[in-house]
Amino acid sequence: MSITTNQRESAAERVYRSVKADILTGTLSGGQLLSEGEIATALGVSRTPVREGFLRLETEGWLKLYPKRGALVSAPDMHEAVHVCQSRYFVETGCIRAITAPTSDVRRRADVVAELRASLARQRDLVTAGDLAGFAAEDTHFHRTFVDAADNPILSAFYETLRERQQRMVATSIGRPGSDVPAIIDCHSALTEHLEAGDADGFATTLANHLMTVHRIDLPGVTVPGVSQ
């Protein structure tokens, strides 16, 4: 039986999504070499859709292909981590200032706080269950919640472009020896309390320390009280 174009595309899509999910959750780490044959066997497909999926992942920067050898998972460098966290800091703090402005909707802020507290509960449950990949995804959702609450579609669209890198960075950071996931949840709780109190400056300070501590980086250009440069 011949394989149709649609079937081949479907298989390639499955390869793409499966390998990408493993990269984003840290199951596949930077520097790991992938074999077309091993992926094909694991997913029950031929090498052709694996090759097509790999090409798409290389285009997006997740893999580096080496003919006849396989594909190397690209490792995020320190510059990327700094740039992502800088972008997140400026977008997230800007959105918080909009949400806490004197003219903002107090009831809407209360709704956002309730959403964040629900996310905190899910984070604790995920940690208790030992689901760090799920926690990384929920962490990304937590921060996205107050960005979307600012009701600025341009900022939300830009922030969405950071989502996958953000999720992978969190998964990588919490997978390191010595990482303190409960402390991350404590910081998320503090961020929620700052929002509830309308304390945008306190939120900015906590967020900067949070990003630098979790990802073990400095944030050039971020000047808030209590944050070293």
Side-chain angles (χ1 to χ4, degrees):
M1 178 184 295
S2 62
I3 298 176
T4 67
T5 299
N6 286 341
Q7 286 174 323
R8 186 170 63 250
E9 289 177 350
S10 177
E13 178 71 16
R14 185 150 59 91
V15 171
Y16 166 80
R17 291 186 179 279
S18 177
V19 174
K20 187 173 185 178
D22 284 346
I23 292 173
L24 295 183
T25 59
T27 302
L28 293 175
S29 57
Q32 188 168 342
L33 187 65
L34 306 182
S35 161
E36 286 184 5
E38 290 176 355
I39 297 298
T41 299
L43 296 179
V45 299
S46 69
R47 286 177 178 253
T48 298
V50 172
R51 193 171 300 115
E52 292 171 356
F54 278 8
L55 283 170
R56 185 175 171 187
L57 290 164
E58 183 181 46
T59 299
E60 294 183 1
W62 301 109
L63 295 179
K64 175 64 176 176
L65 301 187
Y66 293 92
K68 299 182 180 180
R69 292 181 57 195
L72 193 70
V73 179
S74 300
D77 61 27
M78 188 59 65
H79 294 296
E80 177 180 308
V82 170
H83 293 159
V84 170
C85 286
Q86 278 183 320
S87 299
R88 287 184 54 195
Y89 174 83
F90 289 122
V91 171
E92 292 180 29
T93 55
C95 288
I96 287 297
R97 292 191 186 284
I99 298 169
T100 58
T103 57
S104 64
D105 186 338
V106 177
R107 287 176 299 180
R108 175 55 181 148
R109 189 199 308 174
D111 289 341
V112 176
V113 169
E115 290 180 49
L116 295 176
R117 294 202 188 285
S119 176
L120 285 167
R122 290 193 295 272
Q123 291 171 44
R124 295 186 181 100
D125 288 343
L126 288 164
V127 171
T128 299
D131 185 358
L132 294 185
F135 174 81
E138 186 62 37
D139 176 288
T140 302
H141 170 75
F142 174 86
H143 287 269
R144 176 66 189 255
T145 298
F146 44 79
V147 172
D148 286 342
D151 198 25
N152 184 319
I154 294 177
L155 282 179
S156 290
F158 169 72
Y159 196 83
E160 176 64 17
T161 66
L162 304 175
R163 179 179 58 82
E164 290 177 343
R165 288 184 174 87
Q166 178 182 348
Q167 184 177 339
R168 186 191 191 191
M169 285 172 55
V170 172
T172 299
S173 294
I174 64 178
R176 291 182 183 131
S179 64
D180 189 348
V181 178
I184 294 176
I185 297 177
D186 288 343
C187 283
H188 287 170
S189 180
L191 292 172
T192 302
E193 291 171 4
H194 287 311
L195 173 58
E196 186 173 33
D199 182 7
D201 288 339
F203 182 98
T205 299
T206 298
L207 179 63
N209 278 306
H210 175 56
L211 293 173
M212 291 192 293
T213 300
V214 171
H215 301 295
R216 304 179 186 180
I217 59 170
D218 291 322
L219 285 179
V222 174
T223 54
V224 293
V227 178
S228 60
Q229 298 297 302

